[in-house]
Every structure is written in structure tokens, then in C-alpha cells.
Amino acid sequence: MPFSTTCPKCGQSYTLADTQRGKKVRCKECEHVFVAGEGFLEDTDTPARKSDPPSRKSKKDNGDLKSDKDRFKPGTSEQRGIAAPLLIGGGVVLFLVFGCCGGGIWWIYSATKTVVDAGQNLVKSLNPTDIPTALQCLQSEMPQIRQSGATWFANAKQIDKSQQAAVSKALEPLLSDRDTTIRDTGMLALARWGSKDNVPATIKYLEETANSPFSNDAQKNALAALARWKDERALPILVRYTTHGDGGLRDSANKALVALGPNGTREMLKHLHDPTNNLYDQARRALREGGASEKDLLTQTAQDLKEGDLGHRKVALEWLRQQKVTRDPLLRAQIARATAPLLREREEAVRDNSMRILQDWGSKENTPDVVQMLEESLGNPWLNNAQKDALQTLGRWKDERGAPVLVKYLETNGGHGEAENALRLLGKAAESALVKEMNNPNEAMATRCRKLLEVCKTGDKVLLDQVIVDLKTKELARRNRAADWLAHNTCTDEARRTEVSRLLDPLVTDRDNRVMDTGMRALDRWITVENVPTLITLVNDPAPIARPRREWAIDRLGDLRDPRGAAAVASRLDDFAVRGTALRSLTRMGSVAEDEVLKYALNPAKDKRARIEACNLLKTIGTKKSLPGLQMLERDPDRGLQLTAHAALIEVQKRPDRKE
């Protein structure tokens, strides 16, 4: 239900709705805040406003007085009253700002449009229809006009020879224009109107555009123009374009080089094996199209192999491997000489390719280089491809200078098979090298050499000469191997028997039983009286361990029938272990041993049984020279010795005198 309330400050009366009872309201006249319907409430936060005169009439409209909350809701008249000035001011400012900017933009646009319109009008007015007008366009400061002039020259149907020099001179500055379109159009025009005088400018244009990943017609026309002008100054840039990323430009550059004839060929030859950006591919293509001769290609290849860096050499080697061997012996030798030094390169692939090329292109002239490579690689545990090819090649060349290194490879674990095959191919030329190693201390090596010597059908005299040489060496193992050959070989050279027997002497007295046994077996075939002193030394050796040698020496002395050996053998009749051997040896000596045997039989200090054996031996070998001694033995106290001496005496008396 509506109620009446009065502002306690100014006395203004208001009629309010019942819903506003007890709420704070603000007087519209004095702005004073109070509680409606509950007396007076001072608002200390709001400064007091001078009250209007009491006679002022109050407003009767219930809607004139509003609560504080409702009054300041968004969109209320009070808020609009405050914001209106701000909105108006902001609008004015914005209007001024946009007005100024818009005016400036409009002014700039108008000015630019005016210039452009002026330029377009000028272009239209100067649209070239003849050479003088087009030349005038080329001199303009306006890009559009310069472009118009360049386009006219690029598309001109005919070339006026009388004006060609002037036009080409006027077009050159366009090649340095900031506008790429003008530059390219200028190059198109210059390609039609230019001459050799424009080669430097054309080269400069191509250099500046060379790094572009894409091609354009201007570049292609520039390359074609250089081909047409045939100027040597263009060679470097043409070569550069043969490696361009764009295939069309590469083709144009190749065609230009071909068109340059011999000059282009010479330039591309320099890049025949150039690994830079695979330049060699384009160079070879251009050379094929240009009809380069085999001599030119091989000569350049040889030069690159000699003087080029490692990259050039690798490419050259790969190229050579794909080529057929030339029939020209001079070119073939030239390639081989250039390739041979590469066998000493550290990189294995280079050595492999070099050796494969020498297999086909090389000759005996290259034997020293191949041998050196094999010598330097001898320490490898396994053969690489270059070594295998080298061994086969030396065998095929049949050069005896290669035999020594081939023989060395017989001793390797991984290469003896290849070396053996190569030596078989080498044949008789390998004989001298094989003979030197026939007594190698390595048994497998010596066996391989001897088998190969059989293949070579080497004569016994050659083999014996080497055996004698090896018997003189200080290397005991080699001497022993030589003696082993003498022991098993039926070869005998009576003229050299004495020399051989002397050389064998040290072996039969060696401390090494294996060496001693080998020497003894060899002396069985080659023994002479020169060995008697050594044999006597062995017979007199009292060491029990020396019994086998002692017995062998006794037996050999019997074969020699030398008086110097008779005493030594007779003295061993005391030794029951070798008595039988000594008796047999003395029997073979015959009358040569008679004096020593009789002396032994007459010696009462000797073993009785041995004296009886000596008397019995005299029955076989004795002569009338022994009769006095036997008669003395018949009177010996020992009955057995008497009977033996008597029987020997009867046999000797029956025997006629003989000279032995």
C-alpha cells in the first residue's frame, strides 16, 4: 500500500510504494540519503548540498524518487546523464583521428594514382612501334616503360643489322636492373640482338642467376646466344651450368659447349673426371655429342691420374674400368704408367681398381710397381683383391722379375695357392727364384718349391749347386734341409763329391740329433776319405748316448777301407755292444786292417774273447805277414786262443801271396 515520506533535510515529500518501506532512498532535490518511512537517516559519506528554499514545490510523481540500487542500474537515466558527455567527447576525438588518417590515405592514394595514371598514359603514348621509340623507352626512368621497350625488342620480328650494335648497347644496362622481370626480358632481347661484344654482360647475367633453383627462358636463350657467338670467354660459365639443378639448363649448356667445337671439347676434357657435383657426367655427355676422340679422352685420363687430386683419380679409375682396352700400344702404355703409382695409395679401393686396370692395360713394363705393391702388402694375414689380381697378373706376364715375390707368397697362409698358380704360369722363368727356396727351413714352403721345380723340369746340376750353397750358409735349419735333399736324391756328381762330403762333416757332429741323423743319411751317399777324421772322432766318442753314431761310423770306415780308420775300429773290439759291427767293418777293410787286428790279438791286456775273435778274423784277412804273430799265439797259455791261432795259421799258409 503506498505511503508518504518526507526528506528530513529539505522537507520534500514523496509518495512511495509499500515495497520501498525501510529501504534507503535518495532525495531528488538535495541528494540526501535516508530510510523511507523510518524517520531521518544521515548520509555521512555524501557531502551535503545546499537545500532549496522551503517554499519550493515538491513533485507528486511516485516515480521521481528511486532507491540507490535502482538508480544506478545500467541504462538508467542517471547513468546516461553521466556518460553522455564522455561519449560525445570520444566520438569527436575518433572522428578527428579517422578523419585525418582517412584524409592522409586518400591523399597518398590520389597522388600515387596520379603518378601511375601518368606513367600508364605515358606508356600508352610511347608504346613503341619502331626501333627509335623502343630505344627511347629503354632510357626511361619508369620501369614499366623500360619493360615495354625490352619486350618490343624481344618480340621484334626482324633484326635490323644497322641498328643491332646500338640496340645491344642499350639493352646491356637492363641486365643489372633491380626488377628481375626487366632483367630477364632484357636478356631475352639481348639474346636476339647481341653479338660477341655482349659476351661479358651475358656471362655476368648468367653468373648472377646461376644459383636460382628454377630456370627461365632468359637463361636458356643466354646459353643459346653464347653457343651462337662461339666465344672462348664463355667456357667457364657454360661448364658451371652443366651441373645446374635444372635439367633444361644442363642440356642447353651441353649443347652450347658442343657448338663451341674444339674449344668446348678442350674445356670439357678438363672436367672429364671432375667429381664436383658429378660434373663428369655432363662432361662425358658433352664430349660424346661433340665427338671427342679416344686419344683425347685417354690422354686427359692419364693426366688426371698423374696430376689430379684423389677425387679425380678415383673417378678416372672407375671410368677406365668400364672402357675397352685401346688397340693403340702407346696410349695403352701411357695409361698403365699413370696407373701404376696408384698401387701404393693407402685407400684399398684405389689399389684394387688400379690393379684391375693394370691387368688389362699393363705389361711387363709395370712389373716393378706390381712387385713393390706385393712386397709392401706381404704382412697382411689375408689377401685382398689387389694382391690376388697382382699375383695372377705377374704369372700371366711371365716376367722373371716377378718370380721372387711370388715365391715369398708361397710361404703365406692365405696366398700360397694363388702364388703357386702364378708360378706355374710363369714356368721356367720362375726356376731361379724357386731353387733358392728349395731348402727353406719351412717344410711346407720347401715342399711347394720342390714340386714346382719338378714342373719346371729343373736339372739335378742346378739343384745340387743350390744345395751346396745352402750347406755353406750359417743357417743350420737350411743346411739341414739341404742335407735331407742329398739323403733322398739319387743325384751324384763325382766331381763334387769331395766338396759335398766336407760340407756334411759338421752336421754329423752336431748336438742336435735331428741334424746329426740327417747328416749321417746324406753321408751314406756322399762319403769320402775326407770324412775319415770325423768318423774316427765319432768312433772314439765314449759317451753311451753316442753309441748309434759310433756304430754308424765304424760301419762307414769299413766301406772306406782307409788305414787311418783301422786302428779306431780295432780298438772297439773291447766294446761288446759294437764288437760285431767292428768285426764286420774290419772284414770289409781286408788286409788294410791286418796290422791293427794282429796287434790287438797279441796284446795280452785285451779281452781274451776279443783276442780270439781277432785271431779268427786274421784267418780271413791275414797274409803271410801275420804268420810270425800267429805262431806266437799258438804258444799262448790260453787253450782257446792257441786253437784259434793254429787254425788261422793253417789258412794263411794255404793262401797264396796277394797284394791288396
Side-chain angles (χ1 to χ4, degrees):
M1 179 175 183
F3 69 96
S4 298
T5 185
T6 303
C7 175
K9 187 172 183 180
C10 66
Q12 181 67 39
S13 297
Y14 298 97
T15 300
L16 303 175
D18 189 56
T19 57
Q20 290 184 308
R21 189 183 296 275
K23 296 182 179 180
K24 290 182 180 182
V25 296
R26 185 185 295 275
C27 178
K28 294 186 64 176
E29 295 294 331
C30 65
E31 301 289 331
H32 180 69
V33 178
F34 60 96
V35 178
E38 294 187 4
F40 299 100
L41 177 64
E42 295 291 335
D43 186 5
T44 58
D45 297 331
T46 304
R49 197 176 83 176
K50 290 184 179 181
S51 60
D52 292 335
S55 58
R56 185 177 179 179
K57 294 182 180 179
S58 62
K59 295 182 180 178
K60 302 298 182 180
D61 188 1
N62 291 339
D64 292 340
L65 186 62
K66 296 184 179 179
S67 68
D68 204 28
K69 180 177 179 181
D70 294 337
R71 184 178 180 186
F72 289 98
K73 286 182 179 179
T76 59
S77 60
E78 289 83 354
Q79 222 172 14
R80 287 195 299 271
I82 297 172
L86 295 175
L87 291 173
I88 293 172
V92 172
V93 172
L94 289 174
F95 175 79
L96 293 175
V97 170
F98 283 109
C100 292
C101 292
I105 292 172
W106 175 256
W107 181 83
I108 293 172
Y109 171 75
S110 300
T112 303
K113 189 172 184 303
T114 301
V115 174
V116 172
D117 290 343
Q120 290 176 345
N121 292 332
L122 184 59
V123 170
K124 290 179 181 179
S125 63
L126 293 177
N127 188 19
T129 57
D130 52 25
I131 293 177
T133 305
L135 286 173
Q136 185 179 358
C137 291
L138 295 179
Q139 305 300 322
S140 174
E141 295 182 0
M142 295 295 294
Q144 292 88 345
I145 299 177
R146 295 198 302 275
Q147 173 68 23
S148 176
T151 302
W152 189 89
F153 282 115
N155 297 326
K157 294 181 179 180
Q158 293 182 349
I159 306 298
D160 188 343
K161 299 294 184 180
S162 63
Q163 297 290 329
Q164 186 174 1
V167 172
S168 61
K169 184 176 180 180
L171 286 171
E172 275 196 3
L174 299 187
L175 303 185
S176 303
D177 200 282
R178 294 181 180 180
D179 191 321
T180 57
T181 304
I182 295 177
R183 287 204 306 271
D184 294 342
T185 308
M187 189 65 250
L188 287 170
L190 189 62
R192 296 194 63 196
W193 292 80
S195 63
K196 283 189 176 183
D197 294 337
N198 306 111
V199 168
T202 305
I203 292 174
K204 183 179 179 182
Y205 168 81
L206 288 172
E207 288 177 344
E208 292 174 350
T209 58
N211 295 326
S212 175
F214 305 105
S215 65
N216 56 51
D217 291 339
Q219 289 172 295
K220 293 180 181 178
N221 280 269
L223 294 171
L226 290 177
R228 191 171 63 253
W229 296 335
K230 293 183 169 57
D231 194 302
E232 293 184 9
R233 293 173 292 176
L235 289 173
I237 192 63
L238 291 176
V239 171
R240 181 177 176 183
Y241 266 79
T242 58
T243 61
H244 196 278
D246 184 86
L249 291 181
R250 291 199 301 270
D251 292 341
S252 298
N254 276 325
K255 291 178 181 178
L257 285 167
V258 172
L260 285 174
N263 292 332
T265 300
R266 282 195 297 272
E267 184 66 24
M268 290 311 293
L269 278 173
K270 298 177 183 178
H271 303 280
L272 177 62
H273 306 300
D274 192 341
T276 308
N277 296 326
N278 294 334
L279 179 56
Y280 57 86
D281 280 338
Q282 299 302 322
R284 292 169 188 175
R285 180 179 174 185
L287 290 169
R288 284 196 301 270
E289 295 176 357
S293 67
E294 179 187 59
K295 181 178 180 181
D296 290 338
L297 296 174
L298 293 180
T299 302
Q300 182 62 45
T301 299
Q303 184 176 347
D304 286 342
L305 290 173
K306 288 180 180 179
E307 303 173 2
D309 56 23
L310 186 58
H312 280 73
R313 292 175 178 179
K314 286 182 179 180
V315 176
L317 291 173
E318 290 290 347
W319 181 80
L320 275 174
R321 286 187 59 187
Q322 301 171 8
Q323 306 305 309
K324 292 182 179 180
V325 180
T326 179
R327 295 182 179 180
D328 188 333
L330 296 178
L331 287 176
R332 183 174 174 177
Q334 185 180 9
I335 290 295
R337 284 194 296 269
T339 304
L342 300 183
L343 294 174
R344 296 188 289 275
E345 282 288 342
R346 293 183 179 181
E347 192 168 332
E348 185 174 345
V350 176
R351 295 198 303 272
D352 290 347
N353 285 335
S354 300
M355 192 60 244
R356 287 174 184 172
I357 290 167
L358 283 177
Q359 276 187 302
D360 299 328
W361 296 73
S363 63
K364 287 185 178 182
E365 180 186 350
N366 309 111
T367 296
D369 295 288
V370 177
V371 169
Q372 183 177 355
M373 185 272 288
L374 287 172
E375 291 277 6
E376 294 173 353
S377 306
L378 194 58
N380 296 343
W382 303 105
L383 291 188
N384 54 41
N385 292 330
Q387 288 173 290
K388 292 179 181 178
D389 293 339
L391 293 173
Q392 295 173 6
T393 302
L394 288 178
R396 194 173 69 252
W397 287 346
K398 300 184 184 305
D399 190 333
E400 62 181 7
R401 293 176 295 173
V405 73
L406 291 176
V407 172
K408 290 181 181 179
Y409 271 80
L410 281 178
E411 199 170 2
T412 62
N413 291 327
H416 64 84
E418 286 79 2
E420 189 170 347
N421 292 334
L423 287 165
R424 288 180 185 274
L425 291 173
L426 201 59
K428 199 71 174 176
E431 183 180 81
S432 60
L434 287 168
V435 165
K436 293 178 181 178
E437 297 301 326
M438 64 174 289
N439 298 315
N440 191 289
N442 185 323
E443 183 177 1
M445 172 70 168
T447 302
R448 291 166 188 156
C449 289
R450 292 179 183 182
K451 286 182 178 179
L452 288 169
L453 287 170
E454 291 177 4
V455 174
C456 296
K457 297 181 180 181
T458 305
D460 287 340
K461 183 179 182 303
V462 175
L463 300 177
L464 182 59
D465 288 343
Q466 185 61 44
V467 167
I468 292 173
V469 170
D470 290 337
L471 286 174
K472 295 177 181 179
T473 185
K474 294 181 179 180
E475 190 177 0
L476 181 59
R478 190 173 288 272
R479 282 164 35 210
N480 187 48
R481 189 75 62 190
D484 182 72
W485 184 87
L486 290 171
H488 291 88
N489 197 279
T490 57
C491 165
T492 53
D493 186 345
E494 295 301 326
R496 310 195 73 174
R497 178 181 288 275
T498 301
E499 180 184 8
V500 173
S501 64
R502 287 174 181 170
L503 294 172
L504 289 173
D505 254 357
L507 298 181
V508 297
T509 57
D510 196 88
R511 294 181 180 181
D512 190 320
N513 288 332
R514 291 177 298 179
V515 176
M516 175 197 68
D517 290 341
T518 304
M520 289 165 55
R521 290 197 305 271
L523 270 181
D524 283 339
R525 292 180 179 275
W526 292 85
I527 197 167
T528 65
V529 293
E530 296 292 333
N531 304 112
V532 169
T534 300
L535 295 174
I536 292 174
T537 301
L538 294 176
V539 170
N540 294 331
D541 189 350
I545 196 173
R547 177 184 167 183
R549 285 187 286 183
R550 184 165 55 247
E551 198 166 358
W552 172 82
I554 291 172
D555 194 49
R556 297 286 79 75
L557 285 171
D559 294 334
L560 293 174
R561 301 180 65 188
D562 190 284
R564 294 173 295 174
V569 175
S571 68
R572 301 317 297 182
L573 292 174
D574 291 339
D575 187 351
F576 177 76
V578 297
R579 184 179 296 165
T581 303
L583 289 170
R584 289 191 294 274
S585 177
L586 291 169
T587 301
R588 292 199 303 276
M589 287 184 186
S591 60
V592 171
E594 181 181 8
D595 292 342
E596 295 297 333
V597 173
L598 182 61
K599 187 188 300 183
Y600 186 91
L602 292 172
N603 190 347
K606 298 296 183 180
D607 179 74
K608 181 176 66 174
R609 180 62 186 165
R611 293 175 67 195
I612 293 174
E613 293 289 350
C615 287
N616 196 34
L617 180 60
L618 287 172
K619 186 169 61 174
T620 303
I621 66 172
T623 63
K624 294 192 182 300
K625 186 169 54 175
S626 301
L627 292 177
L630 290 172
Q631 291 172 354
M632 292 177 59
L633 290 173
E634 280 185 317
R635 297 189 295 271
D636 193 270
D638 184 81
R639 183 63 178 169
L641 188 58
Q642 290 177 8
L643 294 174
T644 304
H646 180 71
L649 185 62
I650 294 174
E651 289 295 325
V652 172
Q653 288 175 342
K654 292 179 180 179
R655 188 176 300 128
D657 290 339
R658 58 184 178 180
K659 206 171 190 180
E660 298 195 24

